[in-house]
Amino acid sequence: MQPESFSPQEAEQPVTSLIQEAKPSRRNLTTIILAVFLVIFLAAAAGLGYWAYTLNSSLIATQQQLAELQSDHAKLQSGNENLTTELAQVKTDLEESSKDLTNTQTKLEKMQDENLKLKVKIEAASKKLQILYAFSTVSVPTDILAIDTMIKATEDKQLLERWNDFYSTPSASASVEFILNLITATQTSLK
């Protein structure tokens, strides 16, 4: 057999048709791969967009919370400054009150001492007035012994001397001298 002879046109045609058939299948595969990559890229971009949106929403909420917390912090700092000022004032007032209390306690102690001294004076004057009353109301000789005991209980040496003068030599002038001395001693004990 002889090889068929082909015209140059015919010889080129089948080759071109084979090449043309091979090209479309490569294009379809490339298009499909590109389409898949495009879908994946769009899905990734959509996912990133959604993720960015949620992060932005969280950021806005966090910024609002931060602003509220900063406002609360500023209020608390202001309140703390006010409390610090009030505490300093209260400490000052407390120190003054403490000084006043100390002064008052000192005055109270002095007054208690003075009150005690005054009580002693009043008791001494009272004893002497009782003696004066008993001396002015003597009705029986036993009353003189009671007066003698009362005078010795006063422990007033001058009064005791006047009493002994009167008791050793009872007279009107000694009686008057004793009464005057008793009144003077009563006045002196109240000073």
Side-chain angles (χ1 to χ4, degrees):
M1 243 185 119
Q2 246 192 7
E4 289 182 40
S5 67
F6 293 105
S7 66
Q9 279 181 338
E10 287 179 8
E12 286 183 14
Q13 236 178 354
V15 174
T16 335
S17 72
L18 284 176
I19 292 174
Q20 286 178 353
E21 286 180 17
K23 281 186 180 179
S25 69
R26 280 188 178 173
R27 277 190 191 167
N28 287 340
L29 182 61
T30 307
T31 308
I32 292 172
I33 291 172
L34 285 175
V36 168
F37 278 126
L38 182 62
V39 168
I40 291 172
F41 177 74
L42 289 175
L48 283 174
Y50 177 73
W51 183 60
Y53 174 76
T54 57
L55 283 179
N56 190 35
S57 298
S58 294
L59 177 64
I60 290 171
T62 304
Q63 286 174 339
Q64 288 173 346
Q65 289 175 345
L66 176 64
E68 289 174 7
L69 289 174
Q70 286 174 336
S71 173
D72 291 345
H73 180 69
K75 288 177 186 176
L76 288 174
Q77 279 183 327
S78 175
N80 185 29
E81 290 173 3
N82 290 341
L83 287 175
T84 303
T85 303
E86 289 177 12
L87 178 63
Q89 182 63 37
V90 167
K91 283 182 180 179
T92 303
D93 292 347
L94 183 61
E95 288 173 1
E96 289 177 15
S97 296
S98 178
K99 288 177 185 177
D100 290 345
L101 179 62
T102 303
N103 290 338
T104 303
Q105 286 176 336
T106 304
K107 288 178 183 177
L108 178 64
E109 289 173 2
K110 287 179 183 178
M111 290 193 171
Q112 286 175 339
D113 289 343
E114 290 177 11
N115 190 22
L116 184 62
K117 290 176 185 177
L118 187 58
K119 280 183 181 180
V120 170
K121 287 179 181 181
I122 289 173
E123 285 179 19
S126 176
K127 288 179 182 178
K128 291 173 183 167
L129 287 174
Q130 287 175 354
I131 295 169
L132 183 60
Y133 177 75
F135 189 76
S136 63
T137 58
V138 171
S139 58
V140 290
T142 56
D143 291 342
I144 296 292
L145 291 175
I147 292 171
D148 185 57
T149 306
M150 289 174 22
I151 289 173
K152 288 179 181 174
T154 63
E155 298 178 2
D156 187 341
K157 293 180 182 178
Q158 190 176 10
L159 184 61
L160 189 56
E161 287 177 16
R162 295 288 178 233
W163 174 249
N164 287 336
D165 290 345
F166 169 75
Y167 192 70
S168 62
T169 56
S171 67
S173 66
S175 174
V176 169
E177 184 73 29
F178 173 72
I179 291 172
L180 288 175
N181 192 3
L182 185 58
I183 292 171
T184 304
T186 304
Q187 288 176 339
T188 303
S189 63
L190 289 176
K191 289 183 181 179

